[in-house]
Each structure stands twice: as C-alpha cells, then as structure tokens.
Amino acid sequence: MSKQETRTERDSMGTVEVPADALYGAQTQRAVDNFPVSGLSMPAGFIHALGHVKAACARANAALGALDADVAKAIDDAARAVAEGDHDTQFPVDVFQTGSGTSSNMNANEVIARLASEHLGATVHPNDHVNRGQSSNDVVPTAIHVSARLALVNGLLPAMEHLAAVLEGRATELKDVVKTGRTHLMDAMPVTLGQEIGGWARQIRSGIHRLEQSGEGLLELALGGTAVGTGVNAEPGFARLVAEELQQTTGEVFRSKPDFFEGMSAQDTAVEVSGQLRTVAVSLMKIANDLRWMNSGPLAGLGEISLPSLQPGSSIMPGKVNPVIPEAVAMVAAQVMGNDATVAVAGQSGNFQLNVMLPVIAHNLLQSTELLANASRLLADRAVAGFTVNEARLREALDRNPILVTALNPIIGYEQGAAIAKKAYAEGRAVIDVALEQTDLPEAELRRLLDPGKMV
C-alpha cells in the first residue's frame, strides 16, 4: 500500500500505517497485521453489542461526572451508530486474536473515538474517554452476554416457536393417520402421524424451555470489574448505571454480576447456553433424519411422505429429487455440536482472573445461535409445512405388519403370537388371515383386536 493510500497513526508503541479511509487507528491495525489467521472477523452481533455497551458507559460516566456532557453525547451517538450496524466494515480484527479480546475492544474504542471527534470538532481519546471506567477484561465478557442474549430472544427463540407451532399444526392435521411405528428401524406397533410429529414438537418446546432458563444467566454482566474484578478506575455506582442504561436501549433486564471475579475469570454461563444449543441441534438432527427416512424412495424406500420438491437432486440422474432441507439442517446440527466442543474447551481457559479464549467463545456461541435460528425456519417452512402423506403406502405396510399380533398376547400368549407373526411374515400374508387359521377366535373379534386404529 502506497503512502498516498495510508495515514500515520501513533499509539504507545510508536507509529503505524493505517488505511487512509479507515475509522480505526493504530491498535486495530497492529491486530490486523498480527493475526492473519482465518479471515473471520468478529460476529456482527458482537460488534453491535460493543456499541450498546460503549454508549451505555458514556451515559453512565456523564451521569457520574466522569465525562463532560458534550464528550459523552458525542461518544453515545457514535456508539449507537456502531450498535445499529452502520460501521460493520470498520471491524476487521480476526476472531483468532488476543484471548482477552483487547484488540476488538480497542477497535471499537478507536472507531467510536474518531466518529465522536469528527462530530464534536475536538479530540475524543479511545482510552481516556471511550474506554473510561472500563477494561477489555470486563467489556468483552459483557459484550458476549449482551450479544448472546439479544441473539437468543430476537432470533433463535422466535424461530423455534415458529417451528414448534408448524409441527403442532401438522400433528393436529394428521392425528387420525395411522402408520407403522418403528423401533431399531424395524416394524413395531402402530402410531399416528400426529403422535409422531407431536413428539418432535415436544422436543422443540423442551428446547425452548431449556434455553429460556439458561438464557437468564446472560442478563448478568461483568462490566464494573475492570482489570481483575476489583473495579479499579471505575466510579462507584458505574456498573449499576451501565446495566440500567442497557435496559433502556435493549429492552432486556441486564444487571451486574453478583461477583465480578467469577464474571471475568469464568465463562460458565456461555458454556451452559452452548450446551443447550447443542441439545437443540440434537433435536433438529433427529427430526431431520426421521423426515429423510420417511421420504426415502420413492420406490425402494419407505415412501411414507413426499417432501416438497425444491431442486434437481443429481447432475447425472434425471428426475432425482433429494431431501435437501433436512440434509442442510443436519449439517447445521453437526456444526453446532462442534461449536459446543470449542466453547467447552475455551470455557476452561479461565486462568486466575481472566478467561483468555473470549473471542472464540463469542464467535461459536453466536454462530450456533444464528445457524439454529435459520435452520429452524427452513425446516418449518420448506419441509414440515409442505410435505404430503402417501396414505396408501402407509396402509399397505400397516396391513402386512406382523407386529400387530402383539394385541393378541393377553388372549393367546406370546409364544403363539410369535408363531403367527413369523408365519405371516414368511408367507407375506396379513396377520388376521393367519390368526384365523391358528386360533379359535371369531373373525369379528380378531378384526376388533387387530384394528390398528384401536392400538394408538
């Protein structure tokens, strides 16, 4: 990059060349130069949360007399613009950076300071003003909680509610459609499609409940602990005021951590939430795989349902259509499970007074939340809502299911029932036909006992 395309910025380590049109300064540029690792910058939700936190800190500092009102107002306005996503391109620091996230905190401080300085017509300092009463060590854990909480309540939970509602609607619609149940992938006693889909819906409802419970912990913020948890350089009452200001701008009832040492040295809440995200991923993979099996065929598979045809399924086999949405959802689930493993390893990296894998926790936690939200809506709208039921196929399989003989066990006993089932299977005959030959039960009684609709 030539001199004409850069400007010289200075920090405590000396000078560094920064792109001429960049809002950030020397410390951000050093991080860009030091961490050319993945090309993944910090998630937008995390950057927006930093904006919310910096704005709240400016207002709290002004209220406590720690910042002049005009400086605080300029910082507040600039930070709100960051929170709104107006300057996302000005946050180039790689996820794999310093473990405290100091580079991302200083990136925010520098961008906000420059915007505030331009608006105010006077110098606003990244550390002395924007970072007043703060440390990367309490700002970054706070931004993790704020961003994860907002992603949860504004993104994932509504998406899961939508999926649960769609599943419940289909369960009601198909409550009288009887099919062969399966255990071990083998024919078992009958169930209704409504019961089967209702089980999926309950999985999602349970996932919502678990996330709501664990998500409560995200409302507790480490801000106020500053460098090591003691609150050095923060005004008395600063942490409480910041939490109150965040409530006003986000609508979430944030509050200070009861113990800043725990809030900065450990990321147990993030680990817990990630674990619940993994549980949701497990549920989605189970549902996706059930749909794939039920849709399999159309001739040589189960063929119980037909998922919506969305795109050609093969570059060589004309007419082939694949269950692409369940496959995409299953891949999302696999990614989330891997993300959770990363969060767990990162969570145990709290050495004494600080966790030193904060950026990768933020990245994986927010990516999992976003992926699950998108996958939930896709599964609901492009798979569950539109599949059709092949009732003739269900009926054919049900009529020939030898396991129906289980209903006769209390009358004829397990051993005779097993003999009837084996004979029916071996000869490809209906259970009732064999039972008429092998028992003294009247046909009307057998038809009543072997009616699949009475067994569900």
Side-chain angles (χ1 to χ4, degrees):
M1 193 173 279
S2 68
K3 288 289 184 181
Q4 287 73 32
E5 297 172 311
T6 66
R7 68 176 193 270
T8 302
E9 289 281 340
R10 177 179 294 275
D11 62 10
S12 61
M13 294 184 69
T15 61
V16 64
E17 294 299 304
V18 175
D21 59 352
L23 295 177
Y24 54 79
Q27 292 204 42
T28 301
Q29 187 60 50
R30 291 189 193 281
V32 170
D33 295 339
N34 287 337
F35 308 116
V37 180
S38 68
L40 297 171
S41 55
M42 294 298 290
F46 176 82
I47 301 305
H48 302 164
L50 278 176
H52 281 299
V53 171
K54 296 298 178 179
C57 288
R59 295 192 298 273
N61 276 321
L64 293 167
L67 277 179
D68 291 340
D70 56 346
V71 173
K73 178 65 165 60
I75 293 172
D76 184 16
D77 290 343
R80 284 175 185 261
V82 170
E84 291 297 320
D86 294 348
H87 303 289
D88 285 357
T89 58
Q90 297 296 318
F91 290 85
V93 179
D94 203 276
V95 168
F96 301 96
Q97 54 169 289
T98 174
S100 63
T102 298
S103 297
S104 286
N105 182 43
M106 283 308 304
N107 191 173
N109 290 336
E110 289 179 340
V111 168
I112 292 167
R114 187 171 180 85
L115 290 169
S117 297
E118 291 174 353
H119 176 75
L120 193 62
T123 299
V124 176
H125 196 277
N127 300 79
D128 296 339
H129 299 135
V130 182
N131 203 59
R132 179 82 178 190
Q134 306 152 59
S135 165
S136 300
N137 297 355
D138 63 351
V139 166
V140 174
T142 296
I144 290 174
H145 275 217
V146 172
S147 59
R149 177 70 188 181
L150 294 179
L152 199 64
V153 300
N154 296 330
L156 179 54
L157 290 176
M160 291 178 65
E161 287 281 353
H162 176 64
L163 174 57
V166 171
L167 286 168
E168 288 160 353
R170 294 308 308 265
T172 299
E173 174 191 343
L174 302 171
K175 63 184 176 62
D176 296 324
V177 178
V178 183
K179 58 165 282 185
T180 298
R182 290 182 181 83
T183 58
H184 303 268
L185 292 180
M186 305 298 286
D187 297 346
M189 291 298 289
V191 298
T192 69
L193 262 176
Q195 290 171 329
E196 191 165 49
I197 299 170
W200 300 344
R202 175 49 54 187
Q203 281 187 278
I204 301 304
R205 289 287 179 200
S206 296
I208 290 170
H209 178 65
R210 295 186 193 101
L211 282 170
E212 287 175 338
Q213 287 189 312
S214 61
E216 285 294 308
L218 295 171
L219 293 169
E220 294 186 345
L221 306 180
L223 200 82
T226 65
V228 292
T230 59
V232 62
N233 290 348
E235 298 289 336
F238 177 68
R240 176 183 57 80
L241 279 177
V242 170
E244 291 173 359
E245 292 291 344
L246 283 169
Q247 291 180 31
Q248 295 299 314
T249 53
T250 66
E252 293 297 309
V253 189
F254 291 111
R255 55 188 179 270
S256 294
K257 276 271 190 184
D259 189 310
F260 290 138
F261 298 99
E262 180 268 340
M264 293 163 57
S265 65
Q267 282 291 301
D268 293 349
T269 299
V271 172
E272 178 187 359
V273 172
S274 179
Q276 298 302 354
L277 295 175
R278 180 196 62 209
T279 304
V280 172
V282 169
S283 297
L284 288 181
M285 186 171 276
K286 184 264 192 289
I287 296 168
N289 282 332
D290 280 356
L291 286 168
R292 291 173 61 232
W293 275 104
M294 292 162 70
N295 178 78
S296 62
L299 300 179
L302 298 181
E304 294 182 345
I305 65 171
S306 296
L307 290 167
S309 298
L310 299 178
Q311 63 186 59
S314 173
S315 62
I316 190 173
M317 293 176 280
K320 194 171 190 293
V321 179
N322 297 330
V324 293
I325 297 301
E327 288 173 352
V329 170
M331 285 191 283
V332 163
Q335 182 67 50
V336 171
M337 293 175 201
N339 286 354
D340 177 62
T342 299
V343 172
V345 171
Q348 60 84 44
S349 297
N351 307 127
F352 299 108
Q353 278 68 63
L354 182 67
N355 183 288
V356 290
M357 288 197 182
L358 297 174
V360 82
I361 290 174
H363 170 73
N364 284 278
L365 196 61
L366 293 178
Q367 184 187 70
S368 291
T369 305
E370 181 179 9
L371 287 175
L372 290 173
N374 293 338
S376 294
R377 291 193 180 276
L378 279 177
L379 191 65
D381 296 338
R382 301 191 188 182
V384 175
F387 74 72
T388 56
V389 180
N390 303 327
E391 293 197 44
R393 186 73 170 260
L394 293 179
R395 191 65 190 168
E396 178 188 2
L398 194 60
D399 288 344
R400 299 179 61 186
N401 182 3
I403 304 301
L404 294 178
V405 78
T406 303
L408 303 182
N409 282 359
I411 300 170
I412 65 174
Y414 183 93
E415 297 298 336
Q416 189 176 3
I420 291 172
K422 289 177 182 179
K423 184 176 179 64
Y425 179 75
E427 298 178 2
R429 300 169 62 195
V431 170
I432 190 170
D433 295 337
V434 179
L436 281 169
E437 298 173 356
Q438 301 289 320
T439 72
D440 296 327
L441 294 171
E443 181 176 350
E445 178 70 359
L446 279 172
R447 291 195 180 279
R448 183 184 68 81
L449 290 170
L450 294 173
D451 180 0
K454 298 289 195 305
M455 299 181 190
V456 297

